[in-house]
């Protein structure tokens, strides 16, 4: 892929709002934003936990193993050394038959506190819009 094109895999409805970009766009972004020399991004499930693209100029990292309980993907952490080399550490999913949660610890854990109410809602200025 060169430039920008429609991503049929992630945009099955064909809205055209989800695109994929080529390595040329990565380099173009880095050239326009010196002194950046690499992009590290997250929150896209990649099967091996991390993935290099554009000759290593863009790295995708995803730390959640077995995403949504169905992907069987590894997760990864990236350690950046003092000399700025990047060392990935993989996290492999566990078998679902194993229970990793300490049930006693869960019983002792306090509940999650409620979220504060938005100011506009408190004051009755909520017009029903998206939050």
């Amino acid at each position: 892929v060169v430039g920008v094109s429609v991503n049929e895999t992630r945009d099955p409805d064909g809205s055209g709002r989800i695109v994929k970009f080529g390595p040329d766009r990565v380099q173009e972004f880095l050239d326009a934003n010196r002194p950046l020399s690499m992009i590290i991004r997250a929150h896209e499930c990649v099967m091996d936990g991390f993935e290099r693209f554009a000759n290593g100029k863009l790295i995708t990292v995803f730390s959640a193993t077995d995403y949504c309980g169905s992907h069987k993907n590894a997760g990864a952490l990236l350690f950046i050394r003092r000399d700025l080399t990047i060392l990935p550490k993989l996290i492999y999913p566990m078998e679902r038959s194993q229970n990793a949660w300490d049930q006693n610890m869960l019983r002792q854990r306090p509940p999650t506190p409620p979220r504060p109410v938005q100011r506009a809602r408190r004051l009755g200025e909520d017009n029903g819009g998206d939050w």
Side-chain angles (χ1 to χ4, degrees):
V1 175
V2 176
V4 177
S5 63
V6 175
N7 189 335
E8 298 88 9
T9 304
R10 295 188 182 265
D11 187 16
D13 298 335
S15 70
R17 289 178 280 169
I18 301 173
V19 298
K20 55 187 173 183
F21 52 89
D24 59 319
R25 291 300 176 109
V26 173
Q27 190 59 55
E28 186 179 304
F29 177 85
L30 292 172
D31 291 344
N33 291 281
R34 298 237 182 253
L36 294 180
S37 60
M38 175 186 284
I39 302 166
I40 298 176
R41 68 187 205 108
H43 199 66
E44 180 177 337
C45 184
V46 289
M47 291 309 294
D48 295 325
F50 78 103
E51 186 175 88
R52 289 185 173 102
F53 180 70
N55 293 322
K57 299 285 185 174
L58 184 143
I59 297 177
T60 299
V61 62
F62 194 73
S63 61
T65 60
D66 194 19
Y67 186 57
C68 293
S70 61
H71 285 69
K72 307 292 184 234
N73 63 290
L77 302 172
L78 299 180
F79 290 87
I80 302 173
R81 296 179 173 162
R82 289 176 193 239
D83 65 356
L84 299 182
T85 57
I86 297 172
L87 179 67
K89 295 286 186 178
L90 298 182
I91 310 164
Y92 295 101
M94 19 183 324
E95 293 297 319
R96 282 282 168 198
S97 61
Q98 297 176 353
N99 187 351
W101 294 101
D102 180 348
Q103 295 303 315
N104 187 40
M105 182 62 74
L106 287 177
R107 282 190 292 276
Q108 294 175 17
R109 179 180 171 201
T112 302
R115 294 182 181 187
V117 176
Q118 297 283 341
R119 183 175 187 274
R121 276 194 197 153
R122 277 195 323 260
L123 300 175
E125 299 170 5
D126 181 9
N127 62 3
D130 292 337
W131 288 97

